[in-house]
Amino acid sequence: MAAEDPIPRTVEWRDGAVRLIDQRELPGRLQFLDCRTVDGLCEAISSLAVRGAPALGAAGAYGVALACRLDADAAGDGGRAASAATVARAAAEAADRLIATRPTAVNLAWGARRVLVAAEAAAAGAAAGAAGGGGAEAVARAALEEAERLAEQDVADNRALGRHGAALVPDGAQVLTHCNAGALATAGFGTALAVVRAAIDAGKRIQVIACETRPFLQGARLTAWELKKDRIPVTLITDNMAGHLMQRERVSCVIVGTDRTAANGDVANKIGTYPLAVLAHRHAIPFYVAAPLSSIDFACPNGDKIPIEERPVREVTHVLGRQIAPSGIRVLNPAFDVTPNELVTAIVTERGIARQPLGRTLRRLVEGAPAKPERKAEARRMRARRR
């Protein structure tokens, strides 16, 4: 793999706009989308032009910075002068709108709120006599600087996560993954695919099995595209082939990302992840989750409390614009499912690996203490699965 990532930044600030790779166009063409309004960015998020929890965190962060920039540059209705306070209010309004677009992905709210805090702190710090254009500019500048820091930190965290996870993947492994948890799902480098990339950088021979991931085909369209760009061997399968491959011992481990992980280690990820965890458990195959700490919601006690987004039914009844189901039928389209923590072998973060019991070891990682893997208990669980 080339030292420099061949995939451009998924989300970045460019010439006063939030520039995205328009993932709706892949794999047919690599096209960029410049969002110059908060409305435009909200639409891009809702329509999955940008998706993936860490990428949404960066998009939310840049979206709040965009709102600040727009309010500072264009004074608003009636030709009023922008002030630090009005820019901070614009930031708060934008954060609320952005967060509402995708309720399951905790990173979106995390990124938007982090920049909002920076904007409000800059507004509060503006001297009373500096209210006006100078104060407004300071708030806009602080918001953008915080968004840039968040995006850069995401890439660094993903690389660290990958290095930790690489130790879990044996040489010659066949890694099965679901949806897209690569560079396209982050500000750069990926989460689940970061583990694969880091293992290959360490000299291991790794092949990836990518589930197509109905209904939006992120595995077929995005993961396969990424891996081909990186020259990493990939085999595409339909979602219902995974059990057969596990039964035939053609899967070494499963590595997926997460849109929100609860405090107890329950994992919300793209719909279809839970059945893979059940199958992996049945066949004694390790099931790993790559989760930046920004994706772990310690305010959410368990998976039952994670809101599950319901997507438009057209995503199920149509494929690439062509109708494949009869009109007038009932359709369900939950975007995510929740994998219970007992089916998760380990959660890989930028600070290390959390093993069972996940609720305890995840908390240790956040607090800065090394997670103490209970390897004997884990070995007993793996032996029990084989019986």
Side-chain angles (χ1 to χ4, degrees):
M1 189 174 66
E4 184 177 343
D5 195 333
I7 301 169
R9 279 291 180 94
T10 306
V11 186
E12 64 179 343
W13 184 263
R14 181 74 66 91
D15 298 329
V18 182
R19 172 165 286 190
L20 314 169
I21 293 179
D22 190 342
Q23 299 183 35
R24 300 166 299 189
E25 299 296 327
L26 292 171
R29 57 178 176 168
L30 177 61
Q31 181 170 304
F32 295 95
L33 177 65
D34 288 342
C35 298
R36 299 190 177 278
T37 67
V38 175
D39 283 344
L41 181 57
C42 287
E43 170 59 25
I45 293 170
S46 297
S47 64
L48 305 185
V50 60
R51 28 68 52 204
L56 290 175
Y62 281 124
V64 174
L66 175 63
C68 292
R69 182 75 271 157
L70 292 173
D71 198 77
D73 286 348
D77 295 338
R80 64 163 173 78
S83 69
T86 62
V87 174
R89 283 198 296 272
E93 293 168 2
D96 288 343
R97 290 161 59 198
L98 289 158
I99 291 167
T101 58
R102 301 292 307 276
T104 303
V106 70
N107 294 67
L108 177 56
W110 169 79
R113 287 172 179 152
R114 177 168 153 178
V115 174
L116 174 60
V117 168
E120 291 177 336
E137 182 61 32
V139 175
R141 185 169 57 249
L144 181 56
E145 289 172 353
E146 186 65 20
E148 296 279 33
R149 277 192 292 270
L150 181 148
E152 290 298 327
Q153 189 62 51
D154 180 62
V155 178
D157 288 346
N158 294 337
R159 290 184 180 277
L161 182 156
R163 289 192 294 270
H164 287 298
L168 299 172
V169 183
D171 187 22
Q174 296 255 24
V175 176
L176 187 144
T177 192
H178 189 63
C179 195
N180 171 259
L184 291 170
T186 66
F189 205 65
T191 55
L193 294 191
V195 175
V196 171
R197 290 183 167 107
I200 291 173
D201 286 345
K204 296 179 180 179
R205 298 160 300 162
I206 307 296
Q207 297 190 51
V208 177
I209 300 168
C211 294
E212 63 175 353
T213 318
R214 280 281 287 145
F216 212 63
L217 302 175
Q218 291 97 323
R221 296 188 305 104
L222 307 180
T223 295
W225 180 83
E226 273 199 44
L227 293 173
K228 183 180 179 183
K229 292 277 285 185
D230 265 346
R231 299 182 181 179
I232 296 173
V234 57
T235 300
L236 178 65
I237 64 171
T238 62
D239 296 344
N240 51 6
M241 293 179 185
H244 169 73
L245 295 182
M246 292 183 188
Q247 189 180 54
R248 298 298 177 94
E249 299 183 349
R250 294 177 61 181
V251 176
S252 306
C253 63
V254 179
I255 309 177
V256 299
T258 177
D259 287 82
R260 183 184 304 216
T261 292
N264 72 336
D266 290 349
V267 175
N269 194 48
K270 181 54 57 186
I271 193 76
T273 301
Y274 173 46
L276 290 176
V278 173
L279 285 166
H281 184 275
R282 171 66 179 83
H283 295 284
I285 295 170
F287 184 91
Y288 300 124
V289 176
L293 291 176
S294 58
S295 298
I296 300 172
D297 185 0
F298 285 98
C300 180
N302 57 62
D304 291 341
K305 304 299 183 182
I306 296 175
I308 300 299
E309 177 187 1
E310 188 75 22
R311 297 284 304 170
V313 299
R314 185 181 172 85
E315 292 178 359
V316 176
T317 61
H318 291 67
V319 174
L320 301 179
R322 180 175 179 179
Q323 186 168 339
I324 62 168
S327 301
I329 61 171
R330 294 184 62 191
V331 178
L332 293 175
N333 189 18
F336 306 96
D337 56 26
V338 176
T339 298
N341 68 77
E342 61 265 24
L343 298 179
V344 177
T345 307
I347 294 178
V348 185
T349 78
E350 64 270 30
R351 292 191 186 172
I353 299 171
R355 300 179 184 269
Q356 297 286 354
L358 293 172
R360 189 182 309 166
T361 54
L362 282 172
R363 180 66 68 177
R364 286 183 184 141
L365 286 176
V366 170
E367 293 171 350
K372 299 177 181 179
E374 301 189 6
R375 296 183 183 275
K376 291 183 179 179
E378 182 179 331
R380 286 195 298 270
R381 281 190 292 271
M382 294 300 289
R383 285 196 297 271
R385 294 179 187 181
R386 295 189 180 100
R387 295 186 187 122

